[in-house]
Amino acid sequence: MTNSPVAGVLDKGGLSALVRVLAARGHTVVGPTVRDGAITLAEIESADDLPFGWGSEVEAGRYRLVPRADGAAFAHTAGPQSWKTFLHPQRERVWSAERAPDGALSVTEEKPVQPSYAFLGVRPCDLRAVAIQDRVLAGGRFPDCGYRQRRTAAFLIAAECTEPGATCFCVSMGGGPAADRGFDLALTEVLDRDGHRFLVRVGTEAGREVLSAVPHGPADPRTRHAARAAVDAARDRMGRAMPPVDLRTLLGESLEADRWDDVAARCLTCGNCTLVCPTCFCTTTEEVTDLTGDHAERWLRWDSCFDLAFSRVHGGPVRASARSRYRQWLTHKLSTWHEQFDSSGCVGCGRCVTWCPVGIDITEEAAALHDERAGRPRLAQQKGTGR
């Protein structure tokens, strides 16, 4: 936990009131909920929709939803989605065109009314991911206007991490289970003999205004201490870690490493890692027409550097092999991202490890590259555990 102002304590009734207040202020409230055998992000109408009493067990290539006896709401690891799904949607129409009977052509730019989201339960790693996408999509000379509008209107409620999973490695990426910035309100869930409650900290004036409309109690010393202890303990229970080296230099000097052949032999180039990654942002455009040819649309949709056509130019793709495509992804994520955006592109959420069908582990690959560069042999690990 950080030193942002502690505003009070919510019980479960207060959490329900928070959802109602946000909805009354015109927000579409999105939070974690149980659907299709996983904890996914979806619009919620009540705090009762939160995954009380559910957690998750994760490993490389494995995810399982598991019941919890303590009734916790936020004691689960990152699921298959991130908040990118809402701020940077998978598909958006850019414009549409109509051809009149006389051949006249009219083009209409798509300018939809953007939703005002309230995100409930944003993990600290995802707060960092949102900040990274802010730099990529809302900054610079050519911002994504749709993203910027959605992001400006969004209200973020963090849920500090007290139950890291086996694929989490945020601490080794410079983050941690504590929410330090980027939120309007931050919750820390506490369950002990004094009951089930949530310590609340305020990050912005907008957060203070919302909380003032929600019934809450004072932040007593026992709750403060329990919340801090739970977050501090989580920091020491990360399931994985990146090697303690300069990853930017390591990847930049490992372009010809033999390890790329090893990972290419396992990689399916399916793109799952880029789809679940909270910071991957690549898109492409596609045009579609109706059968008459009188109506056409351009759509913006997610793309992946694992797609064979992603680097296609006249004459064929620049990166035709699995080796070159995986190398592009990992090198950009951990190294050359710094040159573009002054940070790493990885926040250590572990989604790419959990949701890889063959269990490729980004931390294992970085460690193997480090060992090869140092002249130490390393046996390839077989990670292909079924989900």
Side-chain angles (χ1 to χ4, degrees):
M1 292 175 61
T2 60
N3 295 322
S4 55
V6 176
V9 173
L10 296 177
D11 58 15
K12 292 177 68 174
L15 192 63
S16 296
L18 176 59
V19 175
R20 291 195 299 270
V21 167
L22 291 168
R25 289 176 174 241
H27 289 293
T28 299
V29 184
V30 178
T33 189
V34 175
R35 289 187 181 179
D36 301 325
I39 294 176
T40 62
L41 302 176
E43 183 176 347
I44 61 174
E45 298 180 355
S46 163
D48 294 338
D49 295 331
L50 296 171
F52 288 101
W54 289 99
S56 53
E57 290 180 354
V58 297
E59 245 309 335
R62 188 178 192 276
Y63 179 97
R64 291 290 186 274
L65 193 64
V66 294
R68 294 179 60 92
D70 58 10
F74 300 114
H76 55 269
T77 54
Q81 298 165 290
S82 70
W83 308 95
K84 174 180 78 171
T85 305
F86 302 92
L87 293 174
H88 182 45
Q90 295 181 16
R91 295 185 79 236
E92 277 190 290
R93 188 164 56 190
V94 180
W95 52 252
S96 58
E98 302 287 344
R99 183 167 58 192
D102 63 0
L105 187 67
S106 62
V107 179
T108 304
E109 182 182 1
E110 190 77 7
K111 292 184 177 180
V113 176
Q114 300 295 349
S116 176
Y117 287 118
F119 295 150
L120 174 58
V122 185
R123 297 299 187 184
C125 58
D126 280 339
L127 285 176
R128 295 183 66 211
V130 170
I132 288 172
Q133 287 225 315
D134 286 350
R135 291 196 295 274
V136 175
L137 297 173
R141 295 175 56 195
F142 305 104
D144 182 321
C145 295
Y147 175 91
R148 188 159 61 180
Q149 291 173 24
R150 289 184 290 270
R151 178 67 182 90
T152 300
F155 187 92
L156 272 58
I157 306 170
E160 294 197 299
C161 182
T162 59
E163 292 285 344
T167 58
C168 295
F169 57 99
C170 63
V171 171
S172 64
M173 293 307 300
D180 55 2
R181 64 178 67 87
F183 57 84
D184 294 291
L185 294 173
L187 306 178
T188 312
E189 189 169 22
V190 177
L191 297 99
D192 57 20
R193 63 184 183 183
D194 294 329
H196 190 174
R197 59 209 188 276
F198 305 86
L199 186 73
V200 188
R201 291 184 291 125
V202 171
T204 64
E205 186 57 37
R208 189 180 303 280
E209 291 176 4
V210 167
L211 187 61
S212 68
V214 177
H216 61 279
D220 59 283
R222 287 177 63 91
T223 299
R224 288 175 182 248
H225 175 76
R228 182 176 296 277
V231 174
D232 287 345
R235 186 175 292 107
D236 298 326
R237 301 203 318 271
M238 293 291 118
R240 278 166 165 73
M242 280 289 182
V245 299
D246 182 347
L247 295 173
R248 182 178 180 179
T249 300
L250 171 64
L251 272 294
E253 296 181 356
S254 299
L255 299 181
E256 302 303 324
D258 292 337
R259 181 67 182 191
W260 300 120
D261 291 326
D262 180 280
V263 70
R266 291 173 283 137
C267 179
L268 305 178
T269 66
C270 64
N272 257 22
C273 50
T274 61
L275 295 176
V276 299
C277 177
T279 65
C280 279
F281 60 88
C282 288
T283 56
T284 188
T285 57
E286 60 183 6
E287 280 75 41
V288 295
T289 63
D290 66 4
L291 293 177
T292 68
D294 293 331
H295 177 81
E297 297 177 349
R298 169 172 284 184
W299 287 78
L300 186 75
R301 64 168 177 81
W302 287 359
D303 203 357
S304 170
C305 53
F306 284 93
D307 191 327
L308 186 60
F310 183 81
S311 65
R312 185 176 181 85
V313 295
H314 179 69
V318 173
R319 291 184 287 272
S321 67
R323 170 191 168 109
S324 62
R325 279 176 272 161
Y326 189 90
R327 181 180 62 187
Q328 158 65 21
W329 176 71
L330 191 61
T331 301
H332 186 215
K333 187 67 61 179
L334 300 181
S335 181
T336 55
W337 199 294
H338 287 273
E339 299 173 11
Q340 292 178 284
F341 308 115
D342 297 320
S343 77
S344 171
C346 177
V347 296
C349 69
R351 287 183 177 93
C352 62
V353 182
T354 300
W355 296 96
C356 174
V358 295
I360 295 173
D361 180 347
I362 188 175
T363 65
E364 169 66 19
E365 297 312 312
L369 290 169
H370 173 55
D371 285 350
E372 181 175 337
R373 184 163 168 253
R376 296 190 295 267
R378 187 183 189 92
L379 295 177
Q381 294 190 6
Q382 194 68 27
K383 299 278 190 177
T385 54
R387 201 163 31 242

